[in-house]
Amino acid sequence: MKKIILVPLYSLGYYKDCRTKLINATLGGGRNAQHITVHPSIFYAIFPRLSRKWAGDSVEATAEQVEALGLTVPTKPNCFREMPTVMEPEPTAFQARYVFDPFTGRYVVNLLEPRQELSARADHFRQITGISAKSVLGSISLTLSEAAAIGFIVNEEVIANDRIHSELLPA
């Protein structure tokens, strides 16, 4: 399924001052025009696709780019640009670290994202992940189904809640 997002664009005029080597930018026109003078390194970092050879031109800027320059975003955009996005579920990958315990003959696996740890039978863990029998320590990426098959409690809702709670709690 495809989804189209309309992004508001604002017309921003700019020119490079030959004497000071700074860039003067103007947003809007008339009494409501906003002017700013910025260093070229900042301006070209915000607009990386612009040619540095041009002395002046106008560019279509998004609201984020206008704010990054230090200007206030006008209420009325000049035009809109369609940005198609594909709404397909992305494969969720988890980073896991494992170590073989020679005393028990099992792998101790630590899933980093939801902060879970478990002990898995060696043959079962090797069969699911495809690691070598000689591997005793390492790191591996697991899909959602592989992590669930090993024995981790993973679903998208638990991970989303864990991210929210980890952001709220101090480290």
Side-chain angles (χ1 to χ4, degrees):
M1 184 169 92
K2 289 188 178 182
K3 182 179 176 183
I4 295 178
I5 300 172
L6 294 176
V7 178
L9 296 177
Y10 304 93
S11 181
L12 181 76
Y14 70 95
Y15 69 93
K16 187 185 294 184
D17 190 350
C18 297
R19 184 175 54 83
T20 62
K21 304 294 184 205
L22 297 175
I23 293 182
N24 296 316
T26 304
L27 179 67
R31 293 177 49 185
N32 297 331
Q34 300 177 44
H35 305 282
I36 192 165
T37 303
V38 294
H39 195 269
S41 63
I42 296 171
F43 189 79
Y44 290 121
I46 296 171
F47 301 102
R49 294 185 180 213
L50 292 179
S51 174
R52 296 174 187 262
K53 296 179 182 178
W54 288 95
D57 200 3
S58 66
V59 65
E60 307 249 329
T62 62
E64 291 84 18
Q65 291 171 328
V66 170
E67 287 180 353
L69 278 175
L71 300 170
T72 59
V73 179
T75 56
K76 276 191 159 182
N78 294 5
C79 61
F80 289 93
R81 176 177 43 186
E82 292 183 358
M83 303 219 20
T85 58
V86 177
M87 297 294 294
E88 294 180 6
E90 296 181 11
T92 306
F94 301 101
Q95 189 70 23
R97 293 185 181 155
Y98 62 90
V99 62
F100 182 72
D101 185 12
F103 298 110
T104 60
R106 299 171 69 93
Y107 279 97
V108 177
V109 187
N110 185 2
L111 200 62
L112 300 179
E113 182 82 21
R115 297 181 185 162
Q116 296 179 16
E117 186 175 44
L118 62 81
S119 174
R121 286 191 346 256
D123 56 347
H124 179 69
F125 183 71
R126 288 185 198 124
Q127 180 184 9
I128 292 172
T129 59
I131 64 169
S132 170
K134 297 178 182 178
S135 179
V136 295
L137 176 70
S139 179
I140 191 169
S141 289
L142 300 173
T143 63
L144 186 66
S145 60
E146 288 174 341
I150 291 172
F152 288 108
I153 302 171
V154 288
N155 57 13
E156 296 173 8
E157 297 158 1
V158 171
I159 293 167
N161 288 337
D162 189 31
R163 286 184 189 149
I164 290 169
H165 293 300
S166 65
E167 291 173 2
L168 295 176
L169 297 174

